Structures are given as structure tokens and as C-alpha cells.
Amino acid sequence: MKTYDWIVVGGGITGASLAYELAQVGLRVLLVDSDTAIQGATRYSYGSLAYWSGTSDLTRVLCTEGIERHRHLSAELDHDTQFRELDLVLTISTDQNPETMATAYKHFAIPPQLLSVEDACELEPLLNPNAIAGVLTVRHGHIHPEHLTQGYRQAFCRAGGEQQMAQVVELLRQGDRVQGVKTSDNQTYHAANTVICAGGFSRALLKAAGIQVHVYFTHAEMIETPPVDLKLRTLVMPANTQRFQLEAQASAAEVEPLWDKPGYEPVPPILDAGAIQFLDGSLRMGQISRVLTQPFAAINSAASESAIRTQVGNVLPALASLPGTWHHCLVAFGGNNLPVVGAIEGVEGVYIFSGFTNPLVYVPPLAQRFAQWVMGKQDQIIAQLSQNL
């Protein structure tokens, strides 16, 4: 029976990048994912790299390291991640004060610049001038999340890593040690260490093994269009982003007991009306975020699609009636707007690398740091994030 140094559960951006970095330091690594195709939150991501958004020493370091990694990843992975930099437009609604909103962003590493309605519409001609009181703008990174993840997977295999396409249904736990995983095809795989990178399913998988972690998930909903002739020049998002407030409320101590009870909706859903166009001309627009404690909860897709089209159409009228398909996935998050990364206390051989609120900019540097950390290098950032467990 073959035994690995590490089993990585989940092949999205978190699992693929971490598996690659672990293989790069010479470890024997098995990556287990349910599908060869990129799925879940990685598949439906906007591809956003908010490297300007650090607000603490920790997040500023990760943002700086993250954008530097992305600028060189296409060459390192020998795969085009479609990295680019473009203007981010943060729309300020007519019932909000532009100066007050600009002040709220002053503590970011690179504070966005306030533009008038006229200047905003010159920067992004598709904006509805009657729906905004102004915008905040800053340079912003962007990649294609599927291309990045596929690049990591391929580079991982070239580095000697192995992949198994199967769903992990159980962690193999003996007493206070996790020894590997069991998959849906009744196969077992053993390793000295297992790291959970399963996004929104991480909590349930660990709970089934009797392990509690402070990682949560939202049900995220968006619309994806085929390539269109219309040209959106910028990435458009609301300045008053509600998702971060939603995550803070949903991870509060008084809400924690509800997460182990299916069928609860601890806080009401929100809709942050935004859109991005990829280099192939397709668009993704949304996003509704729902806190439902059941991973497979039923959602009224028609009502959700209508709400997204209405609110996005208010800001970007030309997008409202574009052909497109509603999609839904789980998005993991941790407490304090920080990821959940490190060794799980009380159980040997099991780790977690999940719950990223700003995933695409944080994940590459943190995966690299994690791999160095497990090889014995001390890392203050990993130590600090471990406190989120």
C-alpha cells in the first residue's frame, strides 16, 4: 500500500496551488478531487485580485506578495493565467454620500480615487449616470480562475505529484490521528498528513470525522453569459460591499450553534451588483450571497436570476437582457475576514487551508508559505492565521 507525505483534498484554486507548492519542496503528494473539470467557487469566480485592499500588516504583506506572484505565475507554471491589470469601478449609489464613502476607504493600502459621475462614465461608458452619485476607482488585478487552476494542476503533475479523480467521503481517523481518506469509489489512500481544501464542503467533511473548525460558507449565485460583442472596460462592484458584513454576522459567536443544524438561515441574503468581462468576451455578473446551513439547500433560481438582472441592470443597463445562465456554488469563509489555515488542534495529521475571503490574491503566497512552514521554516503569518482555527 502506497503512503504519501500529503493528501490534498480539493482541486480548486486552494488545493491545486497548495499541492503544487508541496510537490515543489520535494514531498510525495496526492491531490484528490471529484472532477477533472474545475468546479465550485473557483469555476464561478470573478477572477479578482484586490491587491490594493490590505488593511493590516498581515493582509498588506499577503497582497504585496500575491500580486508579485501573479505577475510571474504564467511563466513559472508554463500556462497563461490571463493575468492583467484593469480599472476597478466601485459604484456609489444615489442615496450615499461620495465623500463619506471615500473616507471609508482611506485605511486601505492603496486608497481608491473618488470620481464624479461625468468622469466615471468616461472611464466606464456602460454605467448608468442616473444610478450613481460617483465612483471610487483603483487599479486592480485580474486572472482567469480556471486557467490559473489548470496551470497549477499541470505544473503539480510535472513536479511528480499524483491526482485521483474521486469524491472524498470520509477521513480515515484512528483515535487522535487522521491517516488518510476514503473516496466514493470505495478506495482508501493513506498519508502522514491530510489537508482539507474543500471550500464550502470543508466544514461538513471535518465534522463527519468529529472535528470542529470555524469555517463557514455562503451560497453564491451569479449569471454567466457567452461571449458577446458588448465591451465592459472595467470591473464593476458596489462601493458599499455587503458580503463582508454578511460574513461577519454569520460567523458571530451567537450564530455558531446554528451551523450544526440543517435548514437554518441565520442572516438574510444580500446582493452586491457587479460584473466583469473576460478576455474571451464572456461576462459574469451577480452576486447574491445566502447563508444557508444546508450545503444542498434548494434555491429559487428564477427569482435569483431576476433579482441579479434587475440590480445589475440598474447600474449597467446594457447587461440586463444579455443571454446568460444562472449558476450557484458554495463559497467558504472564516472569521475576522481571514482564512482558516494551519494544523487542527487536538487531532494529528490533519490540516486546513480554506475560508479565503480574498482568495485569488492571498492563496498563491500563502500556499508557498505553507509548504515552507511544513518543512520546518517558522512563519508568523501562518502562526497568526492558525489562531483562527
Side-chain angles (χ1 to χ4, degrees):
M1 180 180 65
K2 186 172 183 179
T3 299
Y4 299 88
D5 295 318
W6 284 83
I7 291 175
V8 177
V9 179
I13 181 59
T14 53
S17 60
L18 187 56
Y20 165 76
E21 297 293 355
L22 291 170
Q24 284 293 101
V25 296
L27 297 168
R28 294 169 298 170
V29 185
L30 174 67
L31 175 64
V32 187
D33 191 71
S34 59
D35 206 317
T36 54
I38 310 300
Q39 298 294 330
T42 298
R43 166 65 179 83
Y44 299 113
S45 165
Y46 273 29
S48 175
L49 305 174
Y51 65 87
W52 54 272
S53 65
T55 58
S56 65
D57 290 343
L58 184 152
T59 57
R60 289 182 186 217
V61 167
L62 289 178
C63 284
T64 299
E65 292 182 359
I67 193 63
E68 284 306 307
R69 290 287 288 143
H70 278 287
R71 287 177 175 139
H72 300 96
L73 271 174
S74 289
E76 179 179 332
L77 302 177
D78 194 24
H79 192 93
D80 184 11
T81 69
Q82 297 192 1
F83 172 78
R84 56 179 170 148
E85 292 189 58
L86 74 170
D87 292 312
L88 171 67
V89 167
L90 299 166
T91 57
I92 302 170
S93 62
T94 54
D95 62 349
Q96 295 170 337
N97 182 286
E99 286 75 20
T100 301
M101 192 60 65
T103 300
Y105 277 81
K106 289 295 184 183
H107 64 298
F108 286 86
I110 306 174
Q113 176 188 1
L114 178 62
L115 297 184
S116 67
V117 173
E118 181 180 3
D119 289 341
C121 292
E122 183 176 347
L123 181 64
E124 179 49 76
L126 295 183
L127 285 171
N128 174 11
N130 298 317
I132 58 173
V135 305
L136 296 168
T137 185
V138 66
R139 293 295 284 176
H140 193 83
H142 188 257
I143 49 88
H144 196 298
E146 292 167 86
H147 286 240
L148 174 63
T149 305
Q150 197 60 48
Y152 268 126
R153 285 188 180 188
Q154 292 173 0
F156 164 67
C157 291
R158 291 196 301 270
E162 297 181 30
Q163 294 188 83
Q164 288 291 337
M165 295 298 110
Q167 183 180 357
V168 172
V169 295
E170 182 183 344
L171 301 183
L172 301 177
R173 179 173 178 176
Q174 291 290 327
D176 290 332
R177 169 169 283 278
V178 169
Q179 299 178 327
V181 301
K182 180 179 180 180
T183 58
S184 54
D185 55 0
N186 207 34
Q187 297 296 309
T188 58
Y189 301 94
H190 294 78
N193 304 284
T194 300
V195 59
I196 309 303
C197 307
F201 295 102
S202 298
R203 183 184 180 93
L205 185 59
L206 287 163
K207 182 189 173 187
I211 302 169
Q212 289 288 122
V213 292
H214 297 297
V215 64
Y216 315 94
F217 55 87
T218 59
H219 293 252
E221 305 167 56
M222 49 77 73
I223 297 170
E224 183 176 53
T225 79
V228 296
D229 292 332
L230 170 151
K231 296 300 179 186
L232 183 67
R233 295 181 183 177
T234 63
L235 194 166
V236 178
M237 291 293 294
N240 184 24
T241 305
Q242 302 176 73
R243 181 169 64 91
F244 304 120
Q245 302 167 26
L246 178 87
E247 291 178 358
Q249 294 170 2
S251 57
E254 59 270 22
V255 176
E256 181 75 31
L258 298 179
W259 280 98
D260 295 321
K261 299 177 181 179
Y264 277 83
E265 187 172 15
V267 296
I270 59 94
L271 199 167
D272 287 322
I276 180 63
Q277 187 168 36
F278 289 83
L279 293 179
D280 67 355
S282 65
L283 289 114
R284 292 177 189 172
M285 55 185 175
Q287 157 182 322
I288 294 174
S289 296
R290 299 181 190 275
V291 179
L292 300 169
T293 59
Q294 169 56 258
F296 300 101
I299 294 173
N300 186 330
S301 60
S304 293
E305 180 173 348
S306 176
I308 292 171
R309 289 186 179 277
T310 297
Q311 292 203 31
V312 172
N314 181 50
V315 178
L316 298 162
L319 274 58
S321 58
L322 288 176
T325 304
W326 173 90
H327 294 283
H328 159 252
C329 65
L330 299 185
V331 175
F333 65 94
N336 305 316
N337 289 328
L338 292 173
V340 185
V341 172
I344 295 176
E345 188 175 353
V347 185
E348 295 183 15
V350 63
Y351 299 73
I352 187 166
F353 192 77
S354 187
F356 290 83
T357 295
N358 192 4
L360 294 177
V361 74
Y362 288 171
V363 164
L366 266 178
Q368 196 172 52
R369 283 174 170 271
F370 190 102
Q372 294 292 332
W373 174 67
V374 302
M375 295 298 289
K377 181 179 179 180
Q378 291 189 349
D379 192 297
Q380 292 184 346
I381 286 182
I382 299 291
Q384 186 173 342
L385 292 178
S386 296
Q387 297 173 11
N388 221 27
L389 286 166

